[in-house]
Amino acid sequence: MKLEEQLKQRSGNQCELCKSGDPLKIYEVTPQPYSNADDTILICDTCRAQIEKKAELDNNHWTFLSETMWSEIPGIQVVSWRMLNRLKKESWAMENLDMMYLAEETLTWAKAAGDHDNDDAVELHKDSNGALLQNGDTVILTKSLDVKGSTLNAKMGTVVKNIRLVEDNTEQIEGKIEGQVIVILTKYVRKQNA
């Protein structure tokens, strides 16, 4: 039986964390010790985005961890432990964390990502007004910019379509101006309303 079919059967076609029936995708709990069904879970996009820090952490969404943390599936235990650690400012999360027991090798796996040391803060790409930016958005320059290494001067008010977020730096995006791809600081753009 294929892994996805195995996971669908195990989960009853629901998110293995929040029990949502939303579209589900396989999530590999890294670093994977064995690369099998115990290391892999089926989750919804809402859970995935927050786990991967691509969306703000919604404390109310994660209250299901009080039940999920008791799962016998190691991958679910690891994700539950990591998320409870990220939410430890919440009294309910701290209480659950105090009650939770993980086998020594599972705890080592849970700590391996280093995510438990982080708080619930999520770094997202935001424009000069604090609006969330995403790949493919259209932005407008709020300042005229001289492009380094080029004679190009991008004027204030220039529309930049189909931007790309710079993966490891939330203060930068990439966009094409006059046929040239340039890096633009997010503090100099505002998202264009649809």
Side-chain angles (χ1 to χ4, degrees):
M1 188 184 319
K2 286 176 35 181
L3 180 62
E4 188 170 5
E5 292 169 8
Q6 234 180 318
L7 296 175
K8 283 182 178 177
Q9 189 174 3
R10 179 178 81 190
S11 70
N13 267 339
Q14 294 180 325
C15 174
E16 291 191 272
L17 298 173
C18 72
K19 307 298 180 213
S20 161
D22 291 346
L24 304 171
K25 292 186 183 115
I26 291 175
Y27 178 74
E28 295 177 348
V29 184
T30 56
Q32 289 189 297
Y34 307 112
S35 226
N36 61 28
D38 285 346
D39 303 354
T40 310
I41 59 178
L42 206 56
I43 60 174
C44 66
D45 287 338
T46 304
C47 287
R48 176 186 298 276
Q50 293 181 46
I51 289 169
E52 294 177 345
K53 298 184 178 184
K54 293 186 176 160
E56 296 282 350
L57 196 56
D58 177 1
N59 301 347
N60 295 327
H61 175 76
W62 293 96
T63 55
F64 61 77
L65 287 172
S66 302
E67 293 175 28
T68 309
M69 67 184 221
W70 301 111
S71 172
E72 293 179 13
I73 299 158
I76 295 173
Q77 293 173 357
V78 167
V79 171
S80 297
W81 186 85
R82 289 176 181 171
M83 293 309 294
L84 284 169
N85 269 283
R86 282 180 52 197
L87 292 160
K88 61 186 165 199
K89 291 179 187 167
E90 301 288 323
S91 59
W92 63 267
M94 199 60 194
E95 288 169 11
N96 285 326
L97 206 49
D98 288 342
M99 287 189 290
M100 190 173 187
Y101 170 79
L102 292 179
E104 193 173 324
E105 67 183 37
T106 306
L107 182 60
T108 301
W109 176 24
K111 288 180 177 180
D115 203 30
H116 65 287
D117 293 331
N118 300 331
D119 58 11
D120 60 349
V122 178
E123 296 290 320
L124 300 171
H125 288 76
K126 293 186 179 182
D127 73 0
S128 58
N129 297 325
L132 187 64
L133 296 172
Q134 296 181 344
N135 284 320
D137 281 349
T138 298
V139 296
I140 299 169
L141 296 182
T142 58
K143 177 182 178 181
S144 292
L145 305 171
D146 289 323
V147 180
K148 289 182 182 175
S150 151
T151 57
L152 180 65
N153 181 298
K155 302 280 185 221
M156 183 171 87
T158 301
V159 175
V160 183
K161 295 180 180 181
N162 201 19
I163 64 164
R164 193 181 72 72
L165 306 179
V166 174
E167 190 98 359
D168 299 329
N169 189 337
T170 57
E171 295 177 6
Q172 297 178 343
I173 58 170
E174 288 182 350
K176 203 178 251 190
I177 298 178
E178 294 181 21
Q180 190 173 342
V181 176
I182 64 168
V183 174
I184 308 166
L185 296 178
T186 55
K187 65 183 177 182
Y188 298 134
V189 300
R190 71 176 167 81
K191 188 173 181 175
Q192 186 178 49
N193 295 333

